[in-house]
Amino acid sequence: MRTHFCGLVDERLIGQTVTLCGWADVARDLGGVCFIDLRDHEGIVQVVAEPSGAEGNADVIAAASKVGYEDCLRITGTVRARHSVNDRIATGKVEVVATKIEVMNKAEPLPFHAHENAGEDIRLKYRYLDLRRPEMQKMMRTRIKLVQSLRRYLDERGFQDIETPILTKATPEGARDFLVPARMHEGEFYALPQSPQLFKQILMMAGFDRYYQIARCFRDEALRADRQLEFTQLDMEFAWVTEREVQDTVEDMIRLVFREVIDVELDAEFPRMTYAEAMRRYGSDKPDLRIAMEFTDVAELVKDCEFKVFTDWANHADGRVVALRAPGGAKFSRKQIDELAAHAAKYGAKGLAWMKVEDATKGRDGINSPIAKFLDDATLDAVLRATHANTGDAIFFGAATYKSASDFMGALRLKLGRDLGLVENAWRPLWVTDFPMFEWDEEAQRFVALHHPFTAPSVDDEADLRANAAIAVSRGYDMVLNGNEIGGGSIRIHRSSMQSAVFDLLGIGKDEAELKFGFLLEALRYGAPPHGGIAFGIDRIAALMAGTESIRDVIPFPKTTGAQCLMTGAPSPIPEAQLAEVHVAVRPREAKVQ
Amino acid sequence: MRTHFCGLVDERLIGQTVTLCGWADVARDLGGVCFIDLRDHEGIVQVVAEPSGAEGNADVIAAASKVGYEDCLRITGTVRARHSVNDRIATGKVEVVATKIEVMNKAEPLPFHAHENAGEDIRLKYRYLDLRRPEMQKMMRTRIKLVQSLRRYLDERGFQDIETPILTKATPEGARDFLVPARMHEGEFYALPQSPQLFKQILMMAGFDRYYQIARCFRDEALRADRQLEFTQLDMEFAWVTEREVQDTVEDMIRLVFREVIDVELDAEFPRMTYAEAMRRYGSDKPDLRIAMEFTDVAELVKDCEFKVFTDWANHADGRVVALRAPGGAKFSRKQIDELAAHAAKYGAKGLAWMKVEDATKGRDGINSPIAKFLDDATLDAVLRATHANTGDAIFFGAATYKSASDFMGALRLKLGRDLGLVENAWRPLWVTDFPMFEWDEEAQRFVALHHPFTAPSVDDEADLRANAAIAVSRGYDMVLNGNEIGGGSIRIHRSSMQSAVFDLLGIGKDEAELKFGFLLEALRYGAPPHGGIAFGIDRIAALMAGTESIRDVIPFPKTTGAQCLMTGAPSPIPEAQLAEVHVAVRPREAKVQ
């Protein structure tokens, strides 16, 4: 149907006849000479219909003059050098003089124009028009190349690409399951997998040794900008493995794909940090290392001062008083500081103490701060020295529980980094390790798993774990890149007795464990090997590589934050008869369970 | 954790110390010397624990003597040449003399033994044990290699691997949809895709040019031996393409994967056959060409005979009288012929006339047949000549509507081929083309689509199609291999007016079309390019390659014909509160819609 791609017509074809297929990106009639920018997936080439020369040109000009935006065309013509070279396109040195123009499909007037900045809703409704834009094509191709590169790496190293079921068993642990009524089993339901976690562990017990899958996962959670109802992860599992072997393999893989896909060379060895260190220095388990700012713990310095918020938390067993120096922050206006305080408040701050260092040589007189009066000279001086504060800096203080102070000061750090232009233009990966095994849920008065309930503790002995549950460390690890957790994994529990002990500590009783995870406990009894793995968020990595904030830009048919597909109109009402076939009814409002 | 794989230990390692991880396939204590067959995914190696020599051997023998089936072990030892070579295993020239045996995980007594012929239900319940068997590992690897080989082919040729949604819109056309209640949209539902058909067409309209996906598809149909609730297809679509270009590309691809995966060289050019020819010669739209037997139409010969069933159908406008010569069939007993008749009856035969040619030289006297008396000598002779019947053959006759006679005689042909040992040991691919556009559904008194409603007719003009709908031919094509439809596709409709005309002919009214397929009709109005594609059944191709009858052997976690996963126990009941969250209730029996 065509001899060449539009975007690949070049000087080597000058004098030749080509047939091209594509869309009219732009069409202009300049007094008898028509220009069409013909676009396909490879790019754009200029087509000219002009009156001079060969026979039949009247037809060609007539056809060309009627071409509108996005008409689908097939054009035959001769390639010639262009008088005025267009450097902005790859084909800019040539043009095609049309001898035949076929309209394969006329386009109706467009709901939005590719070159204007249309709203996301209309772009999602007419997704096929939006995806034709070269920017979108490029972002999608980044994702496609990422997946291709990952697969090649893993195939070459003997990982087996194995499919696991989408219609599986509900396991109400973690996020909400999507449910699918079973027609052949009245009153029963399948669930869509939140991840292939248990299946990949079972595969290791089934002797597959090295597994991977580009796996679709489903979580029925409220949608945020960076979440979708369904998402894609690179899911991996290794038998007979230690955490370091998993980490080294995937670190090497990630380095390779960044090189192959976007020509970026990541660190030859990723820095490593324990969870405790990450929280202490950055107030986050996924620190953005592009921002150099670090916390300074000042509880020891302020524990006897006159500022009650500081002394309360400095003397509290689980308290933290943390200072964060913001280089250049002394220029913040009162309004800006109020905005920063509001930002910290969103992350749990009850207030935000601050100090501007207007002149570091003048001691107390060089300081502008509502709290300076509560600090004696020695304390003030100690704080300034501890934070390495200089003229022009600001210092922000958080005082609360360890967790809360870390959280809101960590969030403040990110905002300060952006606001002050202190985010390095770089790629900063790291490993975070040694996560706590459990977190104590005050409300439920029980432990919850920080990773998931199948993560192995660092101790091998159940009695040891039970005795030290509150401080137990897991064999989990996260790969973090520029403040994003792009991968997370762990060594798994491979003995039935340890798995039972962990379920028990998590308040999952014997009966409940049997009902939900019976097949796992059983499988662990038949010679399960030591195993571990990791999963990477493909949507997020693709978005990072494509340089976009929104994962919707790298998902061909995403849903809105309202969980809808604006193009197809999903979800939609279903006729009663069809619901009856699968034995369900829409629940009447009055029959809601509270 | 290990230095080598069990299955790869060979003579080059003699004298070296190795550490191996695996399962105890067999363990034998032969009076103080213990033998363990240690198995991993690469194979089996013999480990010996013997009293002679180095220190610490008492511990090793004690450990070895306690090893049971499927214990998970880590063994260090020295490789040495074996006295008596075992030719049946790749490592048969060596053995490993153990110096250390660690039990990583003791296995409880097994529910079934890998070496016995256990029932499928228990194998599915303990799938991880079943999958450890080398036969199963090998079949799964065939599938993995197939998918890898397909991907490599397509990646190299610029096809884009693009993911389409799993949570999408219900389109009740074809099979039953699986439904997923939407939590954020009370009373509404997503559906799981029966195939990515509309999304891949939209991708062509979105400018992606060449698409593929190893796609999960879902059909809520009664399960047969070769169907699963969810199945995997290689889904492909091409823009700006003719059917021949699609066919040539994928034919080349299939040849390559058969060569790469199972070292089979398929025909350099696949034979091609129209639907009409396939029905005429083989009574099937997916003829198994490994069986040479062909139909002979004999309506013309018997239209004036005395056998009313023959004359009725021979003179019927839509009738068919077909003869099938079964070489060597004269040896069939009456009981065997009754069985053949019963088989044909399952496929719609009201009766099965037959004729044994006991001696072809004796004319009527050499014939054993209940119907011979109804045929005069000339007719009998004509039938024998037309079918090329020889001594020792049988001839079977089907008389019914064209469709019905073709169906049951086609089914009979397959059974005769198997029963008479006439199935060639070969790979016989072919293309079937020129399918009817529509079939008339007598019950519904309307046309139904033979492929799907997006398949283009061979005519370009809507008026032409409407005028000749009953005899219209589509641009669909199937790839058939040894009697299996392994791939099916078509050139699609790319103009909105033609799509509307086809919906109309299928009895899908304007409102219904708008409701279900509005986004497609709309997309077709904005410059949709000509496009077409195909989809291949991965499960079926993998089963053919692995040499198994059941696709469950090439699916890691299949469901039973009862739509259950015996390992996890899916589907399962769901607590009321969880159902309430997604606004559904299990429908009370009395509230069923009829």
Side-chain angles (χ1 to χ4, degrees):
Chain A
M1 211 172 265
R2 60 193 166 193
T3 60
H4 295 80
F5 295 132
C6 302
L8 301 180
V9 176
D10 65 15
E11 296 153 284
R12 285 169 297 184
L13 295 172
I14 286 173
Q16 290 188 33
T17 297
V18 296
T19 298
L20 308 172
C21 293
W23 288 272
D25 200 63
V26 182
R28 300 174 304 278
D29 185 343
L30 299 182
V33 180
C34 297
F35 294 91
I36 301 168
D37 282 354
L38 193 67
R39 188 194 69 238
D40 66 13
H41 61 292
E42 292 288 357
I44 288 176
V45 69
Q46 175 165 292
V47 175
V48 191
E50 56 186 17
S52 65
E55 268 180 277
N57 262 338
D59 289 354
V60 169
I61 291 179
S65 68
K66 285 184 212 122
V67 167
Y69 287 121
E70 298 302 319
D71 282 355
C72 180
L73 305 173
R74 183 170 182 233
I75 295 178
T76 299
T78 311
V79 182
R80 75 174 178 202
R82 227 167 124 160
H83 288 297
S84 53
V85 169
N86 178 351
D87 289 333
R88 284 169 302 142
I89 56 174
T91 63
K93 288 183 178 155
V94 295
E95 61 190 6
V96 176
V97 186
T99 53
K100 188 176 176 195
I101 297 181
E102 287 169 87
V103 180
M104 309 299 286
N105 219 345
K106 183 85 191 151
E108 292 187 3
L110 304 177
F112 69 96
H113 197 287
H115 299 277
E116 82 200 8
N117 202 357
E120 191 173 18
D121 277 5
I122 199 166
R123 288 174 46 207
L124 288 173
K125 177 164 164 56
Y126 300 95
R127 187 65 167 170
Y128 39 90
L129 292 177
D130 195 36
L131 289 172
R132 281 187 204 164
R133 292 164 50 219
E135 306 89 288
M136 291 301 287
Q137 288 271 328
K138 194 171 168 222
M139 289 198 279
M140 290 296 156
R141 278 177 179 233
T142 300
R143 182 202 182 100
I144 293 164
K145 278 173 73 178
L146 164 64
V147 171
Q148 213 175 79
S149 181
L150 289 168
R151 287 189 181 281
R152 192 165 46 227
Y153 181 93
L154 293 165
D155 288 345
E156 280 169 5
R157 277 152 191 84
F159 283 79
Q160 312 274 312
D161 176 11
I162 303 177
E163 291 180 70
T164 55
I166 297 289
L167 290 170
T168 180
K169 196 186 179 194
T171 52
E173 177 68 26
R176 268 188 214 94
D177 280 325
F178 282 102
L179 300 175
V180 183
R183 187 172 54 82
M184 290 174 70
H185 298 272
E186 192 170 337
E188 300 190 357
F189 296 79
Y190 304 98
L192 307 184
Q194 295 183 21
S195 89
Q197 182 62 34
L198 294 181
F199 286 107
K200 70 176 173 175
Q201 293 191 229
I202 292 284
L203 285 171
M204 294 305 100
M205 304 174 205
F208 282 99
D209 213 78
R210 292 286 183 273
Y211 146 92
Y212 85 94
Q213 186 182 194
I214 306 288
R216 206 73 63 86
C217 305
F218 304 85
R219 292 191 193 165
D220 191 4
E221 294 175 331
L223 298 187
R224 300 197 309 265
D226 61 346
R227 284 285 171 93
Q228 286 277 310
L229 301 180
E230 53 184 301
F231 58 97
T232 303
Q233 69 186 32
L234 166 61
D235 199 51
M236 299 172 65
E237 199 75 3
F238 306 57
W240 314 104
V241 84
T242 61
E243 37 272 75
R244 192 62 199 230
E245 202 176 332
V246 175
Q247 291 161 8
D248 287 350
T249 303
V250 302
E251 184 179 315
D252 187 48
M253 171 184 82
I254 291 292
R255 253 191 309 272
L256 176 99
V257 301
F258 270 80
R259 193 181 302 137
E260 283 195 352
V261 180
I262 55 168
D263 199 22
V264 159
E265 200 61 41
L266 296 180
D267 296 354
E269 192 173 345
F270 293 4
R272 308 175 69 82
M273 201 176 285
T274 64
Y275 172 88
E277 183 182 353
M279 294 305 281
R280 183 167 55 72
R281 293 171 61 186
Y282 306 104
S284 169
D285 59 358
K286 46 179 184 179
D288 188 341
L289 297 190
R290 292 175 304 172
I291 302 169
M293 284 184 266
E294 293 193 22
F295 289 179
T296 308
D297 273 290
V298 294
E300 275 305 307
L301 309 180
V302 300
K303 68 177 185 219
D304 301 318
C305 78
E306 310 271 305
F307 190 46
K308 191 169 176 313
V309 179
F310 282 6
T311 52
D312 279 358
W313 289 110
N315 293 294
H316 188 286
D318 187 38
R320 182 171 200 185
V321 185
V322 70
L324 179 62
R325 179 175 72 95
K331 65 167 180 275
F332 282 132
S333 67
R334 189 58 194 250
K335 183 157 168 282
Q336 285 173 310
I337 288 182
D338 286 347
E339 279 169 17
L340 291 167
H343 185 76
K346 271 201 289 182
Y347 293 85
K350 298 260 160 58
L352 183 69
W354 54 272
M355 205 175 264
K356 291 192 200 173
V357 185
E358 292 175 343
D359 189 337
T361 63
K362 293 193 183 163
R364 179 178 298 273
D365 292 342
I367 301 296
N368 172 359
S369 167
I371 63 158
K373 59 177 179 272
F374 301 117
L375 308 181
D376 60 28
D377 285 352
T379 305
L380 188 60
D381 186 52
V383 166
L384 293 173
R385 271 188 293 117
T387 56
H388 305 286
N390 281 321
T391 300
D393 293 349
I395 306 171
F396 294 91
F397 297 89
T401 60
Y402 194 91
K403 175 88 173 59
S404 174
S406 305
D407 282 354
F408 71 74
M409 291 300 284
L412 182 70
R413 174 177 169 274
L414 296 181
K415 184 166 168 59
L416 286 170
R418 283 194 298 270
D419 289 358
L420 293 166
L422 295 174
V423 183
E424 191 188 4
N425 181 16
W427 296 94
R428 290 280 174 252
L430 81 153
W431 283 107
V432 178
T433 62
D434 297 84
F435 287 84
M437 185 76 187
F438 306 109
E439 273 182 331
W440 182 253
D441 184 329
E442 272 299 333
E443 205 173 311
Q445 283 291 304
R446 65 173 185 93
F447 284 120
V448 292
L450 202 80
H451 265 80
H452 55 55
F454 318 109
T455 303
S458 63
V459 295
D460 264 345
D461 180 62
E462 290 102 76
D464 190 345
L465 180 68
R466 284 179 195 277
N468 301 294
I471 57 162
V473 165
S474 83
R475 297 177 71 183
Y477 35 82
D478 283 356
M479 187 187 282
V480 175
L481 180 61
N482 291 1
N484 301 279
E485 181 210 319
I486 60 168
S490 63
I491 298 298
R492 328 297 184 184
I493 296 166
H494 76 283
R495 285 186 302 100
S496 197
S497 55
M498 178 61 89
Q499 187 64 71
S500 292
V502 168
F503 283 154
D504 190 31
L505 284 162
L506 290 170
I508 301 173
K510 269 207 167 59
D511 289 350
E512 192 187 351
E514 193 53 47
L515 194 69
K516 290 181 186 166
F517 306 114
F519 70 99
L520 174 70
L521 290 169
E522 191 151 35
L524 292 172
R525 286 196 283 264
Y526 293 114
H531 61 287
I534 194 163
F536 288 91
I538 294 294
D539 306 304
R540 174 53 53 200
I541 297 176
L544 284 170
M545 285 181 158
T548 175
E549 289 285 315
S550 167
I551 59 169
R552 289 191 296 276
D553 285 340
V554 291
I555 296 173
F557 302 103
K559 296 203 174 50
T560 62
T561 48
Q564 290 176 303
C565 171
L566 297 182
M567 186 183 76
T568 61
S572 60
I574 296 291
E576 271 303 292
Q578 206 183 337
L579 295 180
E581 276 196 322
V582 294
H583 321 292
V584 295
V586 174
R587 185 177 282 262
R589 277 183 174 273
E590 60 271 27
K592 296 279 176 212
V593 172
Q594 291 311 312
Chain B
M1 211 171 264
R2 59 192 167 193
T3 60
H4 296 80
F5 293 131
C6 302
L8 301 181
V9 177
D10 64 15
E11 295 155 284
R12 286 168 297 184
L13 295 172
I14 285 173
Q16 291 188 33
T17 297
V18 296
T19 299
L20 308 173
C21 293
W23 287 273
D25 199 63
V26 182
R28 300 175 303 277
D29 185 343
L30 299 182
V33 181
C34 296
F35 294 90
I36 300 168
D37 282 353
L38 193 67
R39 188 193 69 238
D40 66 12
H41 61 291
E42 292 289 358
I44 288 175
V45 68
Q46 176 165 288
V47 174
V48 190
E50 56 186 17
S52 64
E55 268 181 278
N57 262 338
D59 289 355
V60 169
I61 289 177
S65 69
K66 286 185 212 122
V67 166
Y69 286 121
E70 298 303 317
D71 281 357
C72 179
L73 306 172
R74 182 169 182 234
I75 295 179
T76 299
T78 311
V79 181
R80 74 174 178 202
R82 229 170 123 157
H83 288 298
S84 53
V85 169
N86 178 349
D87 289 333
R88 282 169 304 140
I89 56 175
T91 64
K93 288 183 176 156
V94 295
E95 61 191 5
V96 176
V97 186
T99 53
K100 189 175 174 194
I101 296 181
E102 286 170 87
V103 180
M104 308 298 286
N105 218 346
K106 183 84 191 151
E108 292 187 2
L110 303 177
F112 69 95
H113 197 287
H115 299 278
E116 81 200 9
N117 202 359
E120 191 174 18
D121 277 6
I122 198 165
R123 288 172 49 206
L124 288 174
K125 179 165 164 55
Y126 301 95
R127 187 66 167 171
Y128 39 90
L129 292 177
D130 196 36
L131 288 173
R132 282 188 204 163
R133 293 164 49 219
E135 305 90 286
M136 291 301 287
Q137 289 270 328
K138 195 172 166 224
M139 287 198 280
M140 289 297 157
R141 277 177 179 233
T142 300
R143 183 204 181 98
I144 292 164
K145 278 173 72 178
L146 164 63
V147 171
Q148 213 174 78
S149 180
L150 289 169
R151 285 189 183 283
R152 190 163 48 225
Y153 181 94
L154 293 165
D155 287 345
E156 281 170 5
R157 278 154 191 82
F159 283 79
Q160 312 273 313
D161 176 11
I162 303 177
E163 291 180 69
T164 55
I166 298 289
L167 290 169
T168 180
K169 195 185 179 194
T171 52
E173 178 68 29
R176 268 189 215 94
D177 279 325
F178 282 102
L179 300 175
V180 183
R183 187 172 53 82
M184 291 174 69
H185 298 272
E186 191 170 337
E188 300 190 357
F189 296 78
Y190 305 98
L192 307 183
Q194 296 183 20
S195 89
Q197 182 62 35
L198 294 181
F199 286 108
K200 70 176 173 175
Q201 293 191 231
I202 293 284
L203 285 171
M204 295 305 100
M205 303 173 206
F208 282 100
D209 213 77
R210 293 287 182 270
Y211 146 93
Y212 86 95
Q213 185 181 196
I214 306 288
R216 207 73 64 85
C217 305
F218 304 84
R219 293 191 191 165
D220 191 5
E221 293 176 332
L223 297 187
R224 300 198 308 266
D226 62 345
R227 285 284 170 95
Q228 287 276 310
L229 301 181
E230 54 184 299
F231 58 98
T232 303
Q233 69 185 33
L234 166 60
D235 199 51
M236 299 173 64
E237 198 75 3
F238 306 58
W240 314 104
V241 82
T242 62
E243 38 273 76
R244 193 59 200 232
E245 202 176 333
V246 175
Q247 291 162 8
D248 287 349
T249 303
V250 302
E251 185 180 314
D252 187 50
M253 171 184 82
I254 290 292
R255 253 192 307 272
L256 176 100
V257 301
F258 270 81
R259 192 182 303 137
E260 283 196 352
V261 179
I262 55 168
D263 199 22
V264 159
E265 200 60 42
L266 296 180
D267 296 355
E269 192 173 347
F270 292 3
R272 308 176 69 83
M273 202 176 286
T274 64
Y275 172 88
E277 184 183 352
M279 294 305 281
R280 184 168 55 73
R281 293 171 62 187
Y282 305 105
S284 169
D285 60 358
K286 47 180 182 179
D288 188 342
L289 297 190
R290 292 175 304 172
I291 301 169
M293 283 184 268
E294 292 193 22
F295 289 180
T296 308
D297 273 291
V298 294
E300 274 304 307
L301 308 180
V302 300
K303 68 177 188 222
D304 299 319
C305 78
E306 308 273 303
F307 190 46
K308 191 168 177 313
V309 178
F310 281 7
T311 52
D312 278 359
W313 289 110
N315 292 293
H316 188 286
D318 187 39
R320 182 172 201 186
V321 184
V322 71
L324 179 61
R325 180 175 71 95
K331 65 167 180 274
F332 282 133
S333 67
R334 190 57 196 251
K335 183 154 167 284
Q336 284 173 309
I337 288 182
D338 286 349
E339 279 168 17
L340 291 167
H343 185 77
K346 272 202 288 182
Y347 292 85
K350 299 262 161 56
L352 185 68
W354 54 270
M355 203 176 268
K356 292 191 199 174
V357 185
E358 292 175 341
D359 189 336
T361 63
K362 291 192 183 161
R364 180 178 297 274
D365 292 343
I367 300 297
N368 171 359
S369 167
I371 63 156
K373 61 175 177 272
F374 299 117
L375 309 181
D376 61 28
D377 286 352
T379 305
L380 187 59
D381 187 52
V383 166
L384 293 173
R385 271 186 294 118
T387 56
H388 304 286
N390 280 323
T391 300
D393 293 348
I395 306 170
F396 294 91
F397 296 89
T401 60
Y402 193 92
K403 175 89 173 57
S404 175
S406 304
D407 282 354
F408 70 75
M409 290 301 283
L412 182 70
R413 174 177 169 275
L414 296 181
K415 183 164 170 60
L416 286 169
R418 285 193 298 270
D419 290 359
L420 292 166
L422 296 175
V423 184
E424 191 188 4
N425 181 17
W427 296 94
R428 290 279 173 253
L430 81 151
W431 283 108
V432 179
T433 63
D434 297 86
F435 287 84
M437 185 75 187
F438 305 109
E439 272 183 331
W440 183 254
D441 184 330
E442 273 298 332
E443 207 174 309
Q445 283 291 303
R446 66 174 184 92
F447 284 120
V448 293
L450 201 80
H451 266 79
H452 54 56
F454 319 109
T455 303
S458 63
V459 294
D460 265 345
D461 179 63
E462 291 102 74
D464 190 345
L465 180 68
R466 285 178 195 277
N468 301 294
I471 56 161
V473 166
S474 83
R475 296 177 70 183
Y477 34 82
D478 283 356
M479 187 189 283
V480 174
L481 180 60
N482 292 359
N484 301 279
E485 181 210 319
I486 61 168
S490 63
I491 298 299
R492 327 299 184 183
I493 297 167
H494 75 282
R495 284 187 301 104
S496 197
S497 55
M498 179 61 90
Q499 187 64 73
S500 292
V502 169
F503 283 153
D504 190 31
L505 283 162
L506 291 170
I508 302 173
K510 269 207 167 58
D511 291 350
E512 191 187 353
E514 193 53 46
L515 194 69
K516 290 180 186 166
F517 307 113
F519 70 99
L520 174 69
L521 290 170
E522 192 150 36
L524 292 173
R525 285 196 282 265
Y526 295 112
H531 61 289
I534 194 165
F536 289 91
I538 294 294
D539 306 304
R540 173 55 49 200
I541 297 176
L544 284 170
M545 285 181 158
T548 176
E549 289 284 314
S550 168
I551 58 169
R552 288 192 296 277
D553 286 339
V554 291
I555 297 173
F557 301 103
K559 298 205 173 48
T560 62
T561 48
Q564 290 176 303
C565 170
L566 297 181
M567 186 182 77
T568 60
S572 60
I574 297 292
E576 271 302 292
Q578 205 182 336
L579 296 181
E581 275 196 323
V582 294
H583 321 292
V584 295
V586 174
R587 185 177 282 263
R589 276 182 176 273
E590 60 272 27
K592 296 280 177 210
V593 170
Q594 289 312 311

